[in-house]
Amino acid sequence: MKLLVRMRDGDVDQVIAELKAMTAGSDSTYTRGWRIMLAVLQNDRTTFETTFAAEVGAARDPEGMYYWALVAAVARDETRTLDLLGRAVERGWMCTQALASPWLDRVRCEPRFVEILRSTETRQRAAAAKFLQAGGDKILGVRGLS
């Protein structure tokens, strides 16, 4: 996560160096993901195209899909970005605040993005209502939520 923050803040050369070191000699799912990000940062479209679809196709975790959507956004692949955000929401991801990421600025005005945003807001409100209705605030000892 620290690398993503530093990358967002413009420290791309240092992030590239660290990604190269982190991925050398390893072939785990984790390092393959970092290699894809490295390809994006180095404008290596061929490596991105040949590896991204395979890794993302295996993704089942909705939060993971959100992060893959960010990678697609950094790669300026708006279609994949929106597809992955949509899949994440369909599978239960509903973190409206995360949609404020500056990496999503390129798709923010797209009608599909607006639909995704509205869906996450609706799902978040419904989950909060069910949580309160079930007495979740009392179970956690949090006062003032209801």
Side-chain angles (χ1 to χ4, degrees), residues 36-138:
I36 291 168
M37 182 56 83
L38 184 59
V40 169
L41 294 176
Q42 294 179 311
N43 296 312
D44 181 351
R45 201 69 190 177
T46 302
T47 299
F48 173 75
E49 292 294 339
T50 59
T51 56
F52 188 81
E55 289 299 316
V56 170
R60 300 288 175 258
D61 170 46
E63 184 176 6
M65 287 178 197
Y66 165 77
Y67 284 105
W68 281 121
L70 292 183
V71 172
V74 173
R76 297 176 182 217
D77 189 331
E78 290 84 6
T79 300
R80 281 186 176 141
T81 301
L82 293 168
D83 287 347
L84 286 162
L85 288 174
R87 281 177 53 197
V89 172
E90 288 169 9
R91 292 180 184 224
W93 184 84
M94 60 178 125
C95 186
T96 304
Q97 297 85 344
L99 292 174
S101 169
W103 289 339
L104 297 174
D105 286 350
R106 294 177 66 86
V107 298
R108 203 167 311 286
C109 63
E110 296 291 329
R112 278 184 69 199
F113 182 85
V114 175
E115 290 171 19
I116 290 165
L117 176 62
R118 287 184 178 144
S119 180
T120 60
E121 290 171 338
T122 299
R123 289 170 184 239
Q124 231 177 5
R125 281 192 301 274
K130 286 180 182 180
F131 174 80
L132 293 174
Q133 185 179 32
D137 55 336
K138 293 172 185 61

